[in-house]
Amino acid sequence: MIEITWLDQWEHRIERRLQLLRGQVARWCGARVGIRFGLGRGVRMLYPTCFEAGDDVTIEDYAFLHCMSERGVRIGSHTSIDRNLWLHCGGTPADCSHGFFEIGSHSYVGPNA
């Protein structure tokens, strides 16, 4: 039987608080996000004003999101995206009329997607 020590629990709490802080920075940069939105280490989000997420959304470490498009990127509430996501909507500042990404609530995207 594996025992979870107090040190493991403490480390998990600290990491979650850092994720929520990074999520707050994304909000300050223009992303429209709900409560308890968290970003892992090394997440790179281009055009955060085209990004929208519901409550309780977490994007784990080392993700890349290029959100430029008219409809942008929408992530439903209670969704988790595992590490190493690569998402590119395909729009450019000169032509952002195509490409978008939308995922519903209570979803999970696995690693290396």
Side-chain angles (χ1 to χ4, degrees):
M1 184 168 159
I2 297 174
E3 183 178 331
I4 298 174
T5 67
W6 67 270
L7 189 58
D8 294 328
Q9 292 174 353
W10 184 76
E11 182 182 15
H12 177 73
R13 286 187 195 123
I14 295 294
E15 180 57 34
R16 182 61 183 154
R17 287 196 175 123
L18 288 172
Q19 287 177 345
L20 295 173
L21 182 60
R22 291 183 207 106
Q24 184 64 38
V25 170
R27 178 180 281 122
W28 294 336
C29 292
R32 294 178 309 277
V33 297
I35 58 173
R36 292 180 301 278
F37 172 72
L39 293 175
R41 290 171 279 159
V43 174
R44 178 84 166 115
M45 185 184 300
L46 302 179
Y47 306 104
T49 56
C50 299
F51 181 83
E52 183 178 334
D55 297 338
D56 296 312
V57 172
T58 301
I59 300 174
E60 292 291 338
D61 304 338
Y62 310 111
F64 175 81
L65 295 97
H66 185 286
C67 304
M68 171 59 78
S69 73
E70 275 183 8
R71 292 176 57 190
V73 173
R74 292 188 184 137
I75 299 175
S77 297
H78 311 288
T79 297
S80 180
I81 297 176
D82 218 326
R83 61 183 21 222
N84 299 326
L85 170 76
W86 183 273
L87 176 66
H88 194 293
C89 283
T92 65
D95 179 22
C96 64
S97 61
H98 61 279
F100 70 95
F101 177 80
E102 188 169 342
I103 187 170
S105 296
H106 301 281
S107 298
Y108 171 74
V109 177
N112 305 316

